[in-house]
Amino acid sequence: MPRLSDLSLTWYAALPNDRALVGALQQSLMIATITAVLATGMSLLAALAYFELRAQRTAWFLTVILPMFVPGVIQGLALSAVFTRSGIKASSLTVIAGHLLWAMPFAFIVILTSFAAVRRSYLTAAADLGATRWRQFVDITLPLIRPGLISAFIFSFLLSLNEFTRAFYLAGRQNTLPVVLFGKMNSGASPVIYAMSGTIFLVSVACVALASMHFMLRLKLSPAGRALR
Amino acid sequence: MAISIQIDRVSREYGPVKALDDVSLDIKAGEFFTLLGSSGCGKSSLLKLIGGFDRQTSGRVAFDGKDVGDLPANKRPVNTVFQSLALFPHMRVAQNVGYGLRLKGLSGASLDTKINDALDLVELSGFGPRDVNLLSGGQRQRQLARALVMEPGILLLDEPLTGLDERLRQQMRDEFGRLHKRTGATFILVTHNQDEALSLSDRMAVMHKGRIEQVDSPARFFEAPANAFVARFVGIDTLLRPERIVSTGGQTEATVGGQTLQVRTQGTVDTAASIIAIRPDRLFVARQGLPHALTLTVVETTFRGLHRDLKLAFADGQTLVIAIEADTDIGQLSTGQQVPVGLKPDAAVLISSAGLPPAG
C-alpha cells in the first residue's frame, strides 16, 4: 500500500523520454484526426443522401449503421484477413479503415439528428429566391447542421483514439496508444503508463473547460442569449 | 415589369389521383388573381407549377407567352410568400430579406438601401438587426418583404393569412391590396377564405376536384354562378328544383311547388339539368297583396344576432331561407303560418345543377 509521502512527479517527468509511449500517442492522434475528418465528411454525404431519399430511406439507414452491430474482434479479424489476402500491408491506413467502419455509424446518427433543424420549406424558399442546389446547401443546410458536424467530429475522434480491438489486428509497424498500453500492462507495468493516463485525463478536462467557457461567453454576447435571461 | 401567365390544358397526376385535371387559365399582367377552393381542390398544385416547384404531367405553362416548363424555380421571375413562412432561422431579419439580392450579386450600400426600403414598405423599419426567431406572429407574417425586395414580375401568395387572428388578418389583407397597387406586379393568391378573395381580387377562379368551375370577377359569382357547386361555395344556399320551365319571348318562368316565379337565364337552357339559385339578399317578406309574390309556409325562425333567419317551405317541401332584420315589424311569426315573399329583380337565376348531389 503506497503512502502519501510516496507522491511524486517522477513518472510524469520520465514520460517525454519514453519513446515507445510518445510514438504511440503521436500515431493515435494522427489516426484519430484523419478518421474524424473522413468519418464526418462521409457521414455528411450519407446524411444528405438520406435527406433526399424517400422510399428507400430505411434501407439506406440500416446499411450505413450496420457495421455498428458487428463485434470489434470479428471486424478486426475479418478486415485483417481481407487485407492480407488482397496483399495490402498493415499500416496506419489499415487502422484508419477499421476505425472509419467503427466511427462512421455514430457520426452518421449524430449528423442525421441535426438535420431535424433543416426544414424542406427553407430550401424551397431559398430556391424561390434564386439559390441553386449548391447555394442552398452552403447557405441554408450547412449553417443549420453545423453543431451536428462538430459533435460528429469530436465523437469519431474519441472513438478512434480509444479503440483497441481493431487496431490490435490492423496496426502495422507502429502500434496505437491503447495497444501499447495494453502490452505494457501485461509485461509488468512501469508507472509511466499511469502518468500517461493522468496526462490525457487532465488535458481532456482542460479542453472541455475551455470549450464551455467559450460557449458561455458567446451566449452572453449574442442577442438570443440576451433574450434567454 | 408585370408578367402574364398562360396555363394551357395542364394536368398533374400523382399515380391514379388527378390533382389538376385539364386546367386552362389566362392571367393578365398586373392582375390580382385568386385561386379559391376548399383543401384538396388543386389550387396549391397549380401554384407549385407556376412557381416551378413541381412539373405538370401534361400541358403547358407559359409566362408572357414563353414556355417555362424547363425553367427551374430559382431561374423564374416569380417569388412566393409561403404558408409555412420558412424564414431562415440562422439569419437576421435583414439577412433574410436581402438573401435573394445577395444571390444576385448585390452588396454594400445598394443592398442596404433596398433592404431598408423593403422593410419600410412592410412597416418593419429598424428591425434589420433583429433575430428572426424573436419576431411576433404578425411581424413574421411580413416575410413577404423577402419576396417583394426581389421586385418579381409575379408574386405568389400561398394561404399567407392562415393562422392569424382576425384583426391581424384584416390588417395584412389591406396591406396586400396596397402593395399590389404600389408594385404593379401580377399577384396570385391561393386561399380557402372567401372574404379575402372577394375583397382583394380583380378576378378569381373557384376550383373543385382539380378543375376550374368558374373564372370571373368577384361580383359575377353572385350574379351568375356557373353551377350549383359554385353557388353553394359563395354562399347562395337556396337552390330549388323546378317542376317546369317555360320560356316565352325572352321571359322565362319556372314553377316550384305549384307557384311560378320569374327567373333570369344565361345562354341556352338545358331544362333537365337546371336548378334555380336564389340570392338571399334579394328576397323580402312582402305586405299582403303584392303581385308576383310567393306564398310560403314558415318552418322555423333562428336568432342570429344582428338578424334572424326565416326558413320557409314550398308546398312540395323545398325550403328557402330569408335573413330579416331583427327589428323588422312583421308581427309574430308562428310555425305553419303563411307568409308572402317578394323577389327583387334578378333574385332568381337558372343555373346548371352540376355539383349538386342527386335528389334524395
Side-chain angles (χ1 to χ4, degrees):
Chain A
M1 197 64 188
R3 270 163 297 181
L4 207 62
S5 58
D6 290 343
L7 273 180
S8 101
L9 290 174
T10 320
W11 304 111
Y12 282 91
L15 191 57
N17 299 324
D18 193 322
R19 285 278 172 79
L21 274 183
V22 172
L25 180 64
Q26 283 172 344
Q27 174 77 352
S28 270
L29 289 175
M30 189 263 289
I31 285 175
T33 309
I34 296 175
T35 304
V37 169
L38 289 179
T40 309
M42 285 163 69
S43 301
L44 172 61
L45 293 180
L48 281 172
Y50 180 88
F51 191 70
E52 294 299 327
L53 285 173
R54 278 158 204 274
Q56 307 90 344
R57 267 188 164 191
T58 321
W60 176 243
F61 178 78
L62 290 174
T63 311
V64 178
I65 65 162
L66 184 66
M68 206 160 79
F69 299 104
V70 182
V73 181
I74 295 173
Q75 218 173 47
L77 194 61
L79 267 178
S80 159
V82 168
F83 285 144
T84 316
R85 272 294 180 92
S86 42
I88 299 170
K89 271 197 193 152
S91 67
S92 313
L93 291 179
T94 51
V95 181
I96 289 170
H99 282 183
L100 260 184
L101 221 47
W102 168 232
M104 214 186 118
F106 293 97
F108 175 65
I109 290 172
V110 169
I111 293 179
L112 213 53
T113 314
S114 69
F115 260 90
V118 187
R119 285 202 219 142
R120 215 167 278 278
S121 57
Y122 298 154
L123 302 180
T124 316
D128 181 70
L129 293 168
T132 56
R133 299 274 291 198
W134 173 248
R135 292 247 49 112
Q136 291 169 37
F137 173 69
V138 173
D139 294 338
I140 313 297
T141 312
L142 216 49
L144 288 174
I145 63 165
R146 203 176 56 184
L149 292 179
I150 295 171
S151 312
F153 182 88
I154 295 173
F155 218 161
S156 2
F157 183 87
L158 293 176
L159 284 170
S160 164
L161 196 68
N162 296 320
E163 211 283 330
F164 172 77
T165 32
R166 293 168 187 81
F168 181 74
Y169 286 106
L170 297 168
R173 206 171 299 150
Q174 175 62 63
N175 276 326
T176 60
L177 188 65
V179 178
V180 170
L181 287 178
F182 186 74
K184 289 211 174 228
M185 248 152 47
N186 285 348
S187 58
S190 141
V192 182
I193 63 169
Y194 303 127
M196 173 62 91
S197 312
T199 312
I200 291 177
F201 175 71
L202 288 175
V203 170
S204 307
V205 170
C207 284
V208 171
L210 277 175
S212 4
M213 266 162 66
H214 172 72
F215 281 121
M216 297 235 302
L217 204 70
R218 265 231 324 229
L219 198 64
K220 231 178 216 174
L221 296 177
S222 77
R226 248 179 270 138
L228 282 176
R229 273 178 292 120
Chain B
M1 194 58 222
I3 294 171
S4 66
I5 304 167
Q6 295 78 38
I7 313 266
D8 189 20
R9 308 209 59 180
V10 163
S11 293
R12 177 68 175 98
E13 290 158 26
Y14 296 96
V17 184
K18 281 193 167 182
L20 289 173
D21 188 3
D22 198 15
V23 169
S24 292
L25 188 62
D26 267 311
I27 298 172
K28 298 187 201 94
E31 197 170 25
F32 199 125
F33 194 90
T34 303
L35 295 168
L36 183 63
S38 43
S39 61
C41 72
K43 57 191 193 300
S44 289
S45 301
L46 187 55
L47 201 73
K48 276 189 195 157
L49 292 182
I50 298 172
F53 305 113
D54 193 11
R55 262 197 100 116
Q56 63 271 25
T57 319
S58 65
R60 199 177 90 110
V61 177
F63 292 171
D64 281 341
K66 279 193 243 36
D67 194 331
V68 292
D70 294 322
L71 214 56
N74 58 22
K75 298 225 169 66
R76 293 197 185 192
V78 180
N79 288 107
T80 312
V81 177
F82 293 95
Q83 181 183 6
S84 54
L85 300 177
L87 289 171
F88 307 135
H90 57 294
M91 294 185 191
R92 314 241 155 196
V93 173
Q95 287 172 311
N96 259 287
V97 173
Y99 182 69
L101 292 176
R102 280 207 308 282
L103 287 176
K104 274 190 178 172
L106 233 66
S107 63
S110 57
L111 177 64
D112 291 343
T113 316
K114 286 213 170 188
I115 292 174
N116 288 333
D117 286 352
L119 286 175
D120 288 347
L121 198 63
V122 295
E123 287 162 9
L124 278 183
S125 317
F127 276 67
R130 295 224 191 165
D131 185 341
V132 281
N133 303 301
L134 300 179
L135 293 180
S136 74
Q139 289 162 348
R140 291 176 72 84
Q141 215 69 32
R142 298 168 192 234
Q143 54 132 331
L144 83 153
R146 190 173 67 177
L148 280 176
V149 79
M150 303 297 290
E151 293 165 12
I154 301 167
L155 186 73
L156 307 180
L157 302 151
D158 186 4
E159 308 218 19
L161 301 179
T162 342
L164 287 185
D165 63 59
E166 192 50 37
R167 201 180 55 82
L168 203 55
R169 180 189 279 273
Q170 286 187 6
Q171 198 183 327
M172 287 305 291
R173 194 174 67 191
D174 296 345
E175 203 143 325
F176 287 155
R178 183 169 64 86
L179 290 170
H180 177 239
K181 285 194 189 75
R182 265 186 77 170
T183 57
T186 310
F187 274 41
I188 302 178
L189 171 71
V190 158
T191 182
H192 57 259
N193 183 311
Q194 242 196 80
D195 282 347
E196 274 165 47
L198 294 175
S199 53
L200 287 171
S201 327
D202 295 324
R203 284 195 310 154
M204 60 187 211
V206 168
M207 293 186 71
H208 181 50
K209 288 185 178 166
R211 288 175 165 276
I212 289 179
E213 298 286 346
Q214 186 172 359
V215 182
D216 251 324
S217 65
R220 290 288 294 165
F221 280 83
F222 295 90
E223 287 162 12
N227 56 42
F229 173 82
V230 175
R232 279 259 170 94
F233 196 85
V234 297
I236 301 176
D237 289 320
T238 301
L239 300 172
L240 302 171
R241 288 181 192 281
E243 288 163 5
R244 200 152 27 85
I245 298 168
V246 183
S247 292
T248 43
Q251 294 275 11
T252 306
E253 287 189 334
T255 312
V256 180
Q259 305 196 59
T260 307
L261 62 158
Q262 285 252 339
V263 292
R264 198 158 53 82
T265 55
Q266 331 151 37
T268 51
V269 178
D270 175 9
T271 44
S274 285
I275 201 154
I276 306 164
I278 296 188
R279 288 179 62 158
D281 59 328
R282 299 216 168 153
L283 288 176
F284 59 97
V285 175
R287 288 173 207 290
Q288 295 290 348
L290 187 90
H292 305 303
L294 304 166
T295 307
L296 304 172
T297 315
V298 176
V299 178
E300 62 177 354
T301 59
T302 316
F303 180 65
R304 292 279 188 193
L306 297 177
H307 67 272
R308 270 187 296 168
D309 277 352
L310 184 60
K311 194 173 182 187
L312 303 165
F314 284 87
D316 63 354
Q318 297 198 77
T319 56
L320 57 78
V321 176
I322 307 177
I324 51 176
E325 282 168 41
D327 57 354
T328 312
D329 184 27
I330 45 170
Q332 204 61 37
L333 289 169
S334 52
T335 307
Q337 190 184 333
Q338 301 273 312
V339 174
V341 172
L343 288 90
K344 291 179 195 168
D346 292 342
V349 188
L350 201 63
I351 60 173
S352 148
S353 64
L356 198 71

